[in-house]
Amino acid sequence: MGKQLWKPGNMLYPLPAVMVSCAREGERPNIITVAWTGTVCTNPPMVYISVRPERYSYGIIRETGEFVINLTTVELAKATDFCGVRSGRDTDKFRKTRLTAQPASFVKAPLIAESPVNLECRVEKTEELGSHHMFLAKVLAVHADEAYLDAKGRLDLERAGLLAYSHGNYLGLGQKVGTFGYSVKKAGTRPQARRTAVPKKSGGRTRHS
């Protein structure tokens, strides 16, 4: 069977479906669902989100230069979808979804307490690319739910039932099929260390979801 040639498009799937929380002085906090997101640098730790300028949250993030990326799970799928199809201009999304706004350590935008991992972010650069503008941001802090830490304090997100987005569909991440370096591991040797973040406390201000 052959391959069809399609016009250029966004077919890099699956992607993480995340809820991004933001807040502006004197207004209720808001949540926007984003799939155009990812890691861009390890040192310093940096991520990006891409948002359409007409979205309500865009103006908040552009003005404040801050946001929080909240990872989502299968249990949060309905709330994740709702925050992507309703506007914060006329909807209190925290109230409607019954999600809990939790104070962050370094930014004014709240964490979503029900999320297994929250990344506090500060915008370093904005790229106006076209339909979407990309916010390149430095990660200021990571909050990890203690429920997903193993006996050694490592984050075991496989147990969280993380949510992904693929071409209009939400998918629960499935069975683990390998670990980093397993393809070159020799029999009888110890596997290489997993590239999994170990939450670090920062000045005693680390919070847990």
Side-chain angles (χ1 to χ4, degrees), residues 113-117 143-149 155 208-209:
E114 290 78 6
S115 170
V117 175
H143 302 257
D145 193 323
E146 291 178 328
Y148 303 108
L149 301 184
L155 190 57
H208 296 286
S209 300

Side-chain angles (χ1 to χ4, degrees), residues 30-204:
N30 192 47
I31 307 169
I32 181 174
T33 299
V34 171
W36 297 170
T37 183
T39 298
V40 295
C41 189
T42 299
N43 188 22
M46 295 189 69
V47 294
Y48 82 92
I49 61 171
S50 290
V51 182
R52 290 181 179 272
E54 58 266 27
R55 298 294 293 272
Y56 175 67
S57 294
Y58 174 88
I60 299 175
I61 297 171
R62 190 75 189 244
E63 179 181 321
T64 63
E66 298 178 342
F67 58 88
V68 176
I69 292 177
N70 305 275
L71 300 193
T72 59
T73 65
V74 172
E75 290 186 357
L76 293 172
K78 189 172 183 178
T80 301
D81 182 66
F82 182 88
C83 291
V85 298
R86 289 290 183 266
S87 173
R89 289 186 178 91
D90 48 29
T91 303
D92 184 341
K93 296 184 185 180
F94 274 99
R95 184 177 65 83
K96 284 288 188 179
T97 59
R98 298 184 179 180
L99 294 173
T100 307
Q102 180 176 319
S105 296
F106 300 100
V107 300
K108 293 181 180 178
L111 315 178
I112 297 176
E114 290 78 6
S115 170
V117 175
N118 321 86
L119 289 75
E120 295 187 45
C121 303
R122 180 163 294 144
V123 177
E124 296 284 310
K125 187 177 182 181
T126 302
E127 292 284 354
E128 299 183 4
L129 301 174
S131 64
H132 291 67
H133 292 184
M134 180 172 62
F135 295 111
L136 285 167
K138 183 179 292 185
V139 178
L140 304 180
V142 177
H143 302 257
D145 193 323
E146 291 178 328
Y148 303 108
L149 301 184
D150 65 18
K152 295 183 179 180
R154 291 187 178 276
L155 190 57
D156 187 10
L157 275 177
E158 288 85 354
R159 295 189 288 111
L162 294 177
L163 193 66
Y165 178 82
S166 180
H167 203 49
N169 298 309
Y170 299 103
L171 308 172
L173 293 186
Q175 180 182 356
K176 181 171 67 176
V177 298
T179 57
F180 176 74
Y182 86 103
S183 63
V184 296
K185 176 190 170 190
K186 295 181 181 179
T189 61
R190 298 184 62 178
Q192 297 184 37
R194 292 171 59 192
R195 291 186 174 178
T196 305
V198 179
K200 297 180 180 179
K201 294 184 178 180
S202 176

